[in-house]
Amino acid sequence: MDTICLPAGEESLKQAAALLRAGQVVAFPTETVYGLGADALNDEAVRAIFAAKERPADNPLIVHVAERSQLEGLCRVTPTAETLMDAFWPGPLTLLLMKTDRVPGVTTAGLPSVAVRCPSHPVAHALLKECGIPIAAPSANRSGRPSPTTAQDVYEDMQGRIPFILDGGACDVGVESTVLDLTGEIPCVLRPGAITAEDVASVVGNCTVAPSVMRPLKEGESAPSPGMKHRHYAPKAKMTVYIGTNEAVSAAINERYDWNDNAVILAHSSAMPLFGNRRVFSLGDTPQEGAHLLFRRLREMDALNVSLILAQGWKPEGEALAVMNRMARAAAFDLVEL
Ligand code: TXA
Ligand code: MG
């Protein structure tokens, strides 16, 4: 199959929407990462997403809508969900709600709940509006690779596997949406993103964070979200993440860095002068800049075939939880707090 990649415009949007309505798979930009979309209510179309990604069938997909009214008949929208949609939609917040029979089991991997999200990216919004159907879309990477934040990243992973990529430039946030479980009594963050647990609590009074967000699942512990039990965000190189002041982190990394090792350093911009002439790339200074750059850097490191990544992280709390959740997984939880 030839994979066509076109910049988003009136014509290409129409073409992409027609393909989606015909049950085909189309990659498109969102404010978080690129998604691999297909008709959420069409079994065959959804199966084609799983095949293109080589995604395990037990990992459910997020259903994307242009507006709230499209959820009618798909899931039970609770008053808490309404309040959160008022506050954060369109935007990078995915809500888990109880589904109806109209949503096929392949989309939710047999679960009784469905994840729903209304993206704020203008291209995603225009595409969803133009095609008029709910679109199931996981991140557009091959399973186990870092999520794609540019159309080029998508092409790398999906060339020959899908007919169409809509290019909307680089994604703003850079890590995937917050996944918030609303099926229990208290809202619970299963995957941290740009909308934090504190943001949610400020609107609905209370919000917890699943413990496995910052540590591996324990023996026998079941994953709150199926995505968490699969290996994620894995660069080819071995990776360690250091957390502490620029001075403490640079001292520890410089000590560990071996010139024969084909190692690279990913550091905060303000720390970069502290690494001498060792090979160092920037992760920005704030956790938001880190989130924006992380997956791009991990893909660059794969392309450079480095064997060791020594990275500077942030304290895993508040706004830094999203980027640290991904860094911890990329490093197979090899974290050093200094
Ligand atoms: O930002 C995003 O959310 C991107 C863009 C494309 O919208 N999408 C994305 O999808 O990251 P994906 O499939 O890569 O991640 C969805 C996560 C997975 O960890 C999955 O296990 C979880 O959401 N999930 C989806 N439906 C679920 C459900 N019914 N119950 C529990 N977890 C669910
Ligand atoms: Mg993903």
Side-chain angles (χ1 to χ4, degrees), residues 193-336:
I195 310 249
T196 65
E198 292 81 1
D199 293 334
V200 171
S202 75
V203 174
V204 294
N206 212 345
C207 182
T208 58
V209 177
S212 43
V213 156
M214 277 311 295
R215 62 157 171 77
L217 288 171
K218 292 180 182 153
E219 189 71 24
E221 183 184 13
S222 68
S225 167
M228 281 196 194
K229 69 182 179 214
H230 298 289
R231 186 152 188 246
H232 252 182
Y233 320 118
K236 290 183 204 150
K238 202 175 129 46
M239 175 164 159
T240 303
V241 180
Y242 296 84
I243 303 162
T245 61
N246 284 350
E247 289 66 33
V249 168
S250 58
I253 288 182
N254 290 341
E255 169 81 23
R256 166 103 182 264
Y257 191 100
D258 186 325
W259 295 92
N260 301 319
D261 245 0
N262 193 18
V264 296
I265 300 163
L266 299 181
H268 299 182
S269 307
S270 57
M272 288 177 73
L274 303 175
F275 296 100
N277 57 353
R278 296 172 183 83
R279 214 156 39 137
V280 52
F281 294 82
S282 169
L283 273 185
D285 273 316
T286 64
Q288 286 84 352
E289 288 167 354
H292 179 72
L293 287 169
L294 179 68
F295 288 146
R296 177 172 347 146
R297 290 288 179 256
L298 292 181
R299 281 179 178 266
E300 285 167 3
M301 297 309 109
D302 276 355
L304 288 173
N305 266 312
V306 305
S307 44
L308 179 64
I309 300 171
L310 302 170
Q312 180 177 17
W314 290 263
K315 220 168 140 61
E317 56 190 26
E319 294 178 322
L321 200 57
V323 65
M324 287 308 296
N325 166 271
R326 277 65 172 188
M327 287 182 91
R329 277 166 174 73
F333 294 97
D334 187 10
L335 303 180
V336 182

Side-chain angles (χ1 to χ4, degrees), residues 113-147:
S113 56
V114 61
V116 294
R117 148 161 153 78
C118 176
S120 62
H121 193 292
V123 173
H125 182 80
L127 179 65
L128 290 165
K129 219 172 152 60
E130 177 75 32
C131 73
I133 49 176
I135 296 296
S139 49
N141 52 292
R142 280 216 308 279
S143 259
R145 296 264 295 145
S147 291

